[in-house]
Amino acid sequence: MVIMCSSPFLRPLHQVEFPKCPCLSTKSQFRPLLLRFKTTIRASSAVVAESDLSTQQNQAIEVDFFACPICYEPLIRKGPSGLNLSSIYRSGFKCKRCNKSYSSKDRYLDLTITAALREYTEVQPSRTELFRSPLVSFLYERGWRQNFRQSGFPGPDEEFKMAQEYFEPAIGGLVVDVSCGSGLFSRKFAKSRAYSGVVALDFSENMLRQCYDFIKKDDTLSTANIALVRADVSRLPFSSGSVDAVHAGAALHCWPSPSNAVAEITRILRNGGIFVGTTFLRYTSSTPWIVRPFRERTGYGYLTEEEIQDLCTSCGLTNYSSKIQQSFIMFTAQKP
């Protein structure tokens, strides 16, 4: 199913065409499209906001589906509308409540709490800082990711196919690829043209720069439905209930606080939204007991399947399921 939409999130209310039959079955193939109207309605407060904000010629000021990472108030966008590399880069964003401004840098939009701070800096855990390294970012798709096969990862193409099956209810909706790294899966989601928008999100500036380089070198990939955003997974810059699907590939073990991250993912998912993640397991039920002590947590936060399921359930997600191969696990859960 291919859905083309220049700006599904930023139409004023008076331009929205409401469906004639609102009482569709939850299994209807049109369900994701109707859900996007909820996001459009939320963004339509731009009609009111325009009366309070000054505008410049040939520029629009609209309430965006991006939200302030401090207070979660929808951001006011000044510039071209749309979820694509060009429009995001040329736009400015501001929180009306916090009065904080956000802008793009090196082709990605910085929506971290520390964006634009001059004096204050934070030291992140070593595993977080590792992936901010220019060298690691460069090597990630040039040998680093390929080594995951030794632990049972089936490879990017097969992992993408598996994720697509789980994401079937989200066809036509907005996908956020958190901790996207160099955008390996973000680009695949965008290239599939199955979603109205794809947000490639990572905390690492260098990973996002690599992602942009890969996008520009791929002539088969349109930039009309993908945007690059720098953000903290434990403080996601989206309104509650505004996202159809969240993907986190080989990421959970790198998060400083998986519980905070999964709670945030649950918050931004719409009702019925899908979360799919992959990670390394600390050990499985088939791992010999004598070996398990050597696989306890070290620099990375490797979890067991039972811990992952408990984490998802405690954050309010349901319909948990998983596929395991050696130390590889792909798990999925749904927001009720």
Side-chain angles (χ1 to χ4, degrees), residues 234-305:
S234 64
R235 202 76 183 179
L236 292 171
F238 303 96
S239 300
S240 299
S242 62
V243 174
D244 296 279
V246 173
H247 176 263
L252 185 145
H253 57 277
C254 296
W255 295 339
S257 175
S259 60
N260 284 349
V262 176
E264 270 293 89
I265 289 169
T266 303
R267 180 186 65 80
I268 68 172
L269 282 173
R270 63 162 175 82
N271 294 338
I274 307 295
F275 172 38
V276 172
T278 61
T279 187
F280 295 89
L281 289 174
R282 189 158 81 247
Y283 52 75
T284 67
S285 57
S286 62
T287 303
W289 285 97
I290 195 172
V291 177
R292 294 189 182 190
F294 298 98
R295 296 190 178 180
E296 290 298 329
R297 304 176 195 180
T298 53
Y300 291 100
Y302 297 132
L303 304 178
T304 64
E305 183 190 10

Side-chain angles (χ1 to χ4, degrees), residues 175-192:
V175 175
V176 176
D177 188 17
V178 298
S179 299
C180 69
S182 55
L184 178 61
F185 291 98
S186 305
R187 304 195 307 272
K188 290 180 180 292
F189 288 128
K191 190 177 294 188
S192 73

Side-chain angles (χ1 to χ4, degrees), residues 100-317:
K100 182 168 181 175
S101 298
Y102 302 89
S103 60
S104 294
K105 179 181 180 182
D106 295 337
R107 296 295 176 174
Y108 63 82
L109 174 62
D110 194 339
L111 291 179
T112 59
I113 293 178
T114 57
L117 292 185
R118 296 179 179 179
E119 302 296 334
Y120 177 77
T121 58
E122 287 185 340
V123 178
Q124 299 294 326
S126 58
R127 58 180 179 269
T128 301
E129 292 299 320
L130 175 66
F131 290 98
R132 296 179 72 185
S133 160
L135 178 60
V136 173
S137 301
F138 178 82
L139 294 176
Y140 189 75
E141 288 190 44
R142 299 176 174 90
W144 185 294
R145 190 53 163 75
Q146 288 81 344
N147 287 328
F148 290 9
R149 286 184 177 272
Q150 300 177 12
S151 298
F153 278 67
D157 291 338
E158 182 61 25
E159 292 169 51
F160 172 70
K161 181 180 178 181
M162 294 165 64
Q164 283 284 79
E165 293 176 358
Y166 287 129
F167 280 157
E168 187 173 349
I171 294 296
L174 173 66
V175 175
V176 176
D177 188 17
V178 298
S179 299
C180 69
S182 55
L184 178 61
F185 291 98
S186 305
R187 304 195 307 272
K188 290 180 180 292
F189 288 128
K191 190 177 294 188
S192 73
R193 301 175 71 84
Y195 309 99
S196 58
V198 177
V199 177
L201 183 149
D202 203 280
F203 188 76
S204 169
E205 306 91 326
N206 285 302
M207 283 292 190
L208 292 171
R209 293 186 185 107
Q210 282 294 318
C211 181
Y212 178 79
D213 289 343
F214 281 126
I215 290 173
K216 298 307 293 183
K217 292 177 182 178
D218 189 347
D219 295 333
T220 66
L221 176 60
S222 170
T223 61
N225 67 336
I226 186 171
L228 308 184
V229 174
R230 181 174 182 246
D232 187 341
V233 70
S234 64
R235 202 76 183 179
L236 292 171
F238 303 96
S239 300
S240 299
S242 62
V243 174
D244 296 279
V246 173
H247 176 263
L252 185 145
H253 57 277
C254 296
W255 295 339
S257 175
S259 60
N260 284 349
V262 176
E264 270 293 89
I265 289 169
T266 303
R267 180 186 65 80
I268 68 172
L269 282 173
R270 63 162 175 82
N271 294 338
I274 307 295
F275 172 38
V276 172
T278 61
T279 187
F280 295 89
L281 289 174
R282 189 158 81 247
Y283 52 75
T284 67
S285 57
S286 62
T287 303
W289 285 97
I290 195 172
V291 177
R292 294 189 182 190
F294 298 98
R295 296 190 178 180
E296 290 298 329
R297 304 176 195 180
T298 53
Y300 291 100
Y302 297 132
L303 304 178
T304 64
E305 183 190 10
E306 292 77 14
E307 288 175 319
I308 295 173
Q309 182 174 0
D310 190 31
L311 177 58
C312 291
T313 302
S314 68
C315 289
L317 298 175

Side-chain angles (χ1 to χ4, degrees), residues 11-25:
R11 297 190 191 125
L13 182 59
H14 66 278
Q15 294 182 4
V16 176
E17 296 181 2
F18 290 91
K20 296 180 179 179
C21 301
C23 300
L24 291 178
S25 164

Side-chain angles (χ1 to χ4, degrees), residues 1 22-35 168-171 270 272 334:
M1 179 177 181
C23 300
L24 291 178
S25 164
T26 56
K27 296 183 179 180
S28 169
Q29 60 178 324
F30 299 105
R31 176 176 167 84
L33 292 177
L34 294 179
L35 288 165
E168 187 173 349
I171 294 296
R270 63 162 175 82
Q334 187 174 30

